[in-house]
Amino acid sequence: QVQLLESGGGSVQAGGSLRLSCAPSGYTYSRNCLGWFRQAPGKEREGVATFCFGGVELSYYAESVKDRFTISRDSAKNTLYLQMNSLKPEDTAMYYCAASSFRPTNKLKSEEYVYWGQGTQVTVSS
C-alpha cells in the first residue's frame, strides 16, 4: 500500500521561503512520477511541480512557479522536496504530494496521479 506523508507547511510573509517534504512508503520508482499539487479555496487543484523516474530523471514546473520553486529528491532519505522561494500571497493553498502508477502524458495533470497525501497548508501573507 502506497502512503505519502507530507510535512513542512506553515505561514510566512510574502518574499519568504518554505520547504515541503514528502516521504513515500510502499512506492516503487519505475517510469512514474512524484509531484506536488495545490488547491486554494474555491479553485481547482493544480499541478505545481513533478519529478519523474525511469531513465533520465526529469522535473516539470507550472509557469507560475518557475524560477521560484525547486523540486528535488534525496534518494538516500527516500524523500521528495519542494523548495519554495519568493513566496507570494497567491501561493496560499493546501499542498499535496501525489504519485502516479505510470509516467503521465501530462505530468502536471492531477487526474494522472492515483496516490495522494493528506496535504499540508501553506499560507503567505502580504
Side-chain angles (χ1 to χ4, degrees):
Q1 182 180 359
V2 176
Q3 291 186 321
L4 306 171
L5 182 61
E6 304 114 326
S7 61
S11 297
V12 65
Q13 290 191 326
S17 298
L18 284 173
R19 189 178 76 162
L20 305 183
S21 300
C22 172
S25 60
Y27 187 64
T28 301
Y29 299 98
S30 175
R31 291 192 59 78
N32 45 22
C33 302
L34 284 173
W36 290 98
F37 294 77
R38 67 186 181 188
Q39 188 167 21
K43 294 188 177 181
E44 292 188 356
R45 188 170 296 187
E46 63 173 346
V48 176
T50 59
F51 194 96
C52 295
F53 311 94
V56 178
E57 294 183 341
L58 296 174
S59 55
Y60 304 82
Y61 295 92
E63 286 295 327
S64 60
V65 305
K66 273 184 179 178
D67 301 324
R68 297 190 299 123
F69 291 10
T70 302
I71 190 170
S72 63
R73 184 176 81 105
D74 186 328
S75 57
K77 295 182 179 180
N78 190 31
T79 300
L80 182 76
Y81 299 102
L82 183 68
Q83 178 66 45
M84 305 185 293
N85 299 328
S86 302
L87 282 161
K88 304 175 181 180
E90 50 264 44
D91 294 318
T92 295
M94 185 70 79
Y95 282 71
Y96 297 91
C97 179
S100 71
S101 56
F102 55 87
R103 182 167 287 203
T105 302
N106 185 336
K107 311 300 189 291
L108 294 173
K109 186 176 181 182
S110 61
E111 290 83 354
E112 304 273 15
Y113 291 75
V114 294
Y115 305 107
W116 292 84
Q118 80 287 353
T120 185
Q121 178 68 38
V122 171
T123 302
V124 185
S125 58
S126 57

